[in-house]
Amino acid sequence: MADDDEYPPARTLPETPSWAVALVFAVMIIVSVLLEHALHKLGHWFHKRHKNALAEALEKIKAELMLVGFISLLLAVTQDPISGICISEKAASIMRPCKLPPGSVKSKYKDYYCAKQGKVSLMSTGSLHQLHIFIFVLAVFHVTYSVIIMALSRLKMRTWKKWETETASLEYQFANDPARFRFTHQTSFVKRHLGLSSTPGVRWVVAFFRQFFRSVTKVDYLTLRAGFINAHLSHNSKFDFHKYIKRSMEDDFKVVVGISLPLWCVAILTLFLDIDGIGTLTWISFIPLVILLCVGTKLEMIIMEMALEIQDRASVIKGAPVVEPSNKFFWFHRPDWVLFFIHLTLFQNAFQMAHFVWTVATPGLKKCFHMHIGLSIMKVVLGLALQFLCSYITFPLYALVTQMGSNMKRSIF
């Protein structure tokens, strides 16, 4: 590689034409103002439609963009001091994400200030610039994936609206006559979730596959709806349960759209473990899939456990089978843990896709991170499939089953 003194120094601001400076500055201002105006109009529309949860989620997005902007500004301001931190060539040769030819460390990270001391820079100005671009791309993908999960979840929940409408029909009221006696094992809800499904060990396998095929059926929705109303409202209430879980999901969206400190720590740990030879970015791409499948299986298991509890309670029931909402069905008796795992899955998936796009679009990184193009394509396909599974199946299932906790979200009213 050629020495740095073979290339002419970059132009400084005084050496740049004033029209070029003004043009770039004007474009940045116009784009920023248009974005701010669009977000303001969107927030006004949310408030007008009484979408308070979505309005708060929008404020979180604004805060996220502001945080990313501040990080970028901080990296830009401190890039000279950071690049002036000198470390030994030996320290610069360990834990690299890519293989480099022997003796290439000095030529790649050469800095005149550090070279005088026989050392190399901690990070060059170029690598710092690439880092703050990656942080911006990560934030954009996380927000985009959050919007996608909300859109697909609402699309899935539209099919439940007709079930909610049926609860006002005479046919539904007759089928659920509170004076009617039936054997518990003959009810549709118990028959669907027991039988072979009640066998220890087997039911976990059934729950695993059920999340992919008819994860929520009409009888599931109506039974969980009846249990929720019986536990928290009047038995004869005309409560719109579908509207409630839709607003509850919007309330959870406020959590999903943000990047909390634990998630930033996950990103830092992933970058730290990105070492040549251990394939961190390959095996870690399967972790979101494993987490999401465990979450989906657990949610299906909760429905099955409620059906088993109904059968154990009595052999004959009066009226429709009624489940009893309780936190005991959830991990550590905390329904919010399920949302945390979904949030973690979404962020980790966004991290993988952001890293792929960043490395492909940045000159010099594609050869390093995509030596096996087939493996890279496989990770992209896996990420897209995971996003669909999370958005269209797991998150709507969570929005329904989480209502079976001990408490209801009174704040969304």
Side-chain angles (χ1 to χ4, degrees):
M1 180 178 294
D3 292 67
D4 293 346
D5 52 12
E6 292 184 14
Y7 298 93
R11 285 190 302 173
T12 60
L13 188 63
E15 299 170 334
T16 305
S18 58
W19 65 265
V21 176
L23 177 62
V24 172
F25 186 65
V27 170
M28 295 297 104
I29 293 296
I30 292 172
V31 171
S32 300
V33 170
L34 289 176
L35 178 60
E36 192 277 334
H37 184 71
L39 292 177
H40 177 75
K41 285 291 186 181
L42 184 59
H44 179 72
W45 185 80
F46 283 150
H47 284 295
K48 187 177 180 180
R49 297 287 299 272
H50 303 290
K51 302 287 187 179
N52 296 329
L54 292 181
E56 291 182 35
L58 183 63
E59 292 300 319
K60 271 201 169 185
I61 292 177
K62 291 181 180 179
E64 203 66 46
L65 293 176
M66 185 176 68
L67 175 62
V68 171
F70 180 75
I71 293 174
S72 299
L73 177 63
L74 191 62
L75 285 171
V77 170
T78 60
Q79 64 180 5
D80 287 336
I82 293 176
S83 62
I85 300 175
C86 304
I87 59 175
S88 65
E89 293 184 26
K90 182 179 179 181
S93 301
I94 60 175
M95 297 182 67
R96 293 196 305 260
C98 306
K99 289 182 179 179
L100 294 177
S104 63
V105 174
K106 184 175 181 179
S107 61
K108 288 185 71 65
Y109 302 101
K110 184 177 179 181
D111 180 84
Y112 290 112
Y113 174 75
C114 294
K116 295 177 182 179
Q117 307 175 39
K119 298 181 178 181
V120 294
S121 300
L122 175 66
M123 286 189 69
S124 66
T125 54
S127 60
L128 285 168
H129 177 67
Q130 292 175 343
L131 177 61
H132 86 247
I133 289 178
F134 170 69
I135 293 174
F136 176 77
V137 174
L138 173 60
V140 169
F141 266 92
H142 180 69
V143 172
T144 302
Y145 273 25
S146 299
V147 173
I148 291 174
I149 194 176
M150 190 65 181
L152 290 182
S153 296
R154 290 173 66 93
L155 180 64
K156 176 65 177 291
M157 290 173 59
R158 282 184 182 180
T159 60
W160 304 352
K161 180 63 177 178
K162 60 181 180 181
W163 300 339
E164 183 70 32
T165 305
E166 288 182 17
T167 60
S169 65
L170 293 176
E171 181 182 355
Y172 173 82
Q173 295 175 12
F174 175 77
N176 294 273
D177 185 359
R180 179 185 177 188
F181 287 90
R182 287 181 293 175
F183 287 108
T184 305
H185 68 272
Q186 292 180 341
T187 60
S188 300
F189 181 71
V190 174
K191 284 196 296 185
R192 167 173 160 78
H193 295 288
L194 296 186
L196 180 64
S197 303
S198 62
T199 306
V202 176
R203 60 180 180 173
W204 282 97
V205 178
V206 173
F208 175 82
F209 287 102
R210 184 169 284 171
Q211 63 182 307
F212 305 108
F213 309 101
R214 302 180 68 203
S215 59
V216 177
T217 61
K218 178 180 177 180
V219 66
D220 292 338
Y221 178 86
L222 295 178
T223 303
L224 268 57
R225 174 188 183 275
F228 177 87
I229 293 177
N230 185 70
H232 302 294
L233 303 166
S234 171
H235 179 69
N236 296 320
S237 174
K238 301 299 182 181
F239 183 69
D240 192 335
F241 184 61
H242 181 268
K243 186 176 182 180
Y244 172 81
I245 59 176
K246 188 167 67 173
R247 290 196 172 185
S248 176
M249 186 175 66
E250 292 174 357
D251 193 59
D252 291 331
F253 180 68
K254 296 186 302 183
V255 178
V256 171
V257 79
I259 304 180
S260 60
L261 182 59
L263 295 186
W264 282 117
C265 291
V266 169
I268 294 171
L269 181 62
T270 303
L271 292 175
F272 178 78
L273 295 176
D274 184 18
I275 306 169
D276 177 54
I278 66 175
T280 302
L281 294 179
T282 299
W283 60 260
I284 208 171
S285 62
F286 290 94
I287 292 181
L289 178 62
V290 173
I291 294 176
L292 194 65
L293 293 178
C294 289
V295 168
T297 302
K298 177 59 177 178
L299 293 174
E300 291 290 348
M301 279 294 299
I302 290 174
I303 301 177
M304 294 167 66
E305 288 171 358
M306 289 189 293
L308 181 61
E309 189 176 71
I310 291 176
Q311 179 171 273
D312 292 342
R313 195 184 309 144
S315 58
V316 177
I317 60 172
K318 185 178 181 181
V322 178
V323 297
E324 294 184 0
S326 174
N327 286 347
K328 68 181 181 180
F329 296 114
F330 296 87
W331 283 315
F332 311 109
H333 300 262
R334 297 280 299 275
D336 53 325
W337 271 84
V338 180
L339 181 61
F340 170 76
F341 286 125
I342 292 177
H343 192 192
L344 175 62
T345 298
L346 182 70
F347 175 77
Q348 192 64 29
N349 196 30
F351 181 95
Q352 292 290 334
M353 189 60 69
H355 190 274
F356 173 81
V357 172
W358 172 65
T359 51
V360 168
T362 304
L365 297 185
K366 184 177 180 180
K367 184 178 180 181
C368 169
F369 290 97
H370 303 289
M371 297 180 64
H372 305 286
I373 190 65
L375 188 61
S376 299
I377 294 175
M378 182 273 292
K379 290 193 293 184
V380 171
V381 173
L382 177 64
L384 294 176
L386 182 65
Q387 180 66 21
F388 178 81
L389 176 65
C390 183
S391 304
Y392 196 70
I393 297 179
T394 309
F395 197 49
L397 179 62
Y398 157 79
L400 175 63
V401 177
T402 192
Q403 310 309 328
M404 296 301 102
S406 301
N407 305 311
M408 67 182 298
K409 291 184 178 181
R410 302 181 185 276
S411 60
I412 69 171
F413 293 103

